[in-house]
Amino acid sequence: MKKVLLILAVCTALFSVTAFIAKPADDGWVALFDGKTLTNWKVGDHAATFSVQDGTIAVHGETAHLFYDGPIQQHQFKNFEFKADVMTYPGSNSGIYFHTDFQQGGWPAKGYEVQVNNSHTDWRRTGSLYGIQDVKEVYVKDNEWYTEYIKVVGKKVTIKINDKTVVEYTEPENLKREGGDSLRRISSGTFALQGHDPKSEVHFKNIMVKVLPE
């Protein structure tokens, strides 16, 4: 009997995960985070930086990065729309990477970072395409939920904060970057959330993606 119950429990769990990943909305948006677990997400060093709290991914701890590693698009996105609801606390710093790949530790070498920072000492504020096209203005406040949106089509990146466009960047066809920045370019890859430092606390929820045609 115990064995039967165990099999049923496993089947139920598998069905729940399958149901979660298999039902994009009619408009094409699909959730990457189930609001309950870190299923389909992967972190290397300092995994304790990430936890699930009250339906959010809470980021608070040592430098670490949480990568989407699930079955949607086999976690390889090229053209897409991405959005997440974000709340920062005073002095916090974080980021959302795209076109990146899993790393065990360190700062992701591949892809671009979109900044999450309203009051950290780093002057690059929320919405910046970090180090590429930076935003100095503060458009949202700490302790309040806002929506961060990223769209990539071809070589063009659009970033919005609460529906306000703050960055429009088109990567040059003849782009040349060297050294540690050589992989900072449009390609394809997954998303990652950044844990910046132990003094930073940021929460993410309603993490969604819409795959666009290539």
Side-chain angles (χ1 to χ4, degrees), residues 4-197:
V4 172
L5 291 174
L6 178 60
I7 292 172
L8 287 173
V10 170
C11 290
T12 300
L14 289 173
F15 176 79
S16 296
V17 171
T18 302
F20 164 63
I21 65 173
K23 292 185 177 180
D26 291 340
D27 59 4
W29 287 99
V30 58
L32 299 180
F33 169 51
D34 64 11
K36 300 176 182 178
T37 70
L38 294 180
T39 298
N40 297 330
W41 292 80
K42 183 178 181 181
V43 60
D45 297 342
H46 307 303
T49 294
F50 301 95
S51 62
V52 177
Q53 297 180 17
D54 300 324
T56 77
I57 295 179
V59 187
H60 188 202
E62 299 292 332
T63 301
H65 293 83
L66 181 69
F67 297 80
Y68 175 71
D69 192 52
I72 298 171
Q73 203 69 11
Q74 297 302 306
H75 51 272
Q76 288 295 311
F77 303 91
K78 186 174 182 180
N79 292 341
F80 63 84
E81 293 178 75
F82 172 98
K83 61 184 178 180
D85 293 337
V86 187
M87 184 167 65
T88 61
Y89 289 80
S92 294
N93 194 334
S94 182
I96 303 166
Y97 282 81
F98 66 88
H99 286 182
T100 192
D101 286 336
F102 174 78
Q103 280 185 208
Q104 182 66 28
W107 308 100
K110 182 174 181 286
Y112 285 113
E113 178 190 357
V114 178
Q115 178 76 305
V116 175
N117 162 25
N118 297 316
S119 59
H120 189 268
T121 54
D122 187 341
W123 62 268
R124 295 174 175 88
R125 298 305 182 191
T126 292
S128 295
L129 188 62
Y130 196 92
I132 306 298
Q133 189 169 320
D134 292 310
V135 174
K136 295 182 179 180
E137 296 81 2
V138 179
Y139 290 101
V140 287
K141 299 178 181 179
D142 291 324
N143 300 310
E144 293 183 5
W145 286 104
Y146 71 90
T147 300
E148 195 149 0
Y149 167 96
I150 307 163
K151 182 179 182 180
V152 176
V153 176
K155 297 288 187 178
K156 184 175 181 180
V157 180
T158 302
I159 302 170
K160 296 181 181 181
I161 304 298
N162 285 344
D163 294 324
K164 179 179 179 60
T165 300
V166 298
V167 165
E168 285 188 299
Y169 169 76
T170 300
E171 185 182 88
E173 291 294 336
N174 59 348
L175 177 70
K176 292 183 179 179
R177 293 201 175 106
E178 299 178 352
D181 288 334
S182 62
L183 297 178
R184 252 175 244 307
R185 57 178 62 245
I186 296 293
S187 57
S188 64
T190 192
F191 303 101
L193 307 179
Q194 181 185 84
H196 189 272
D197 63 79

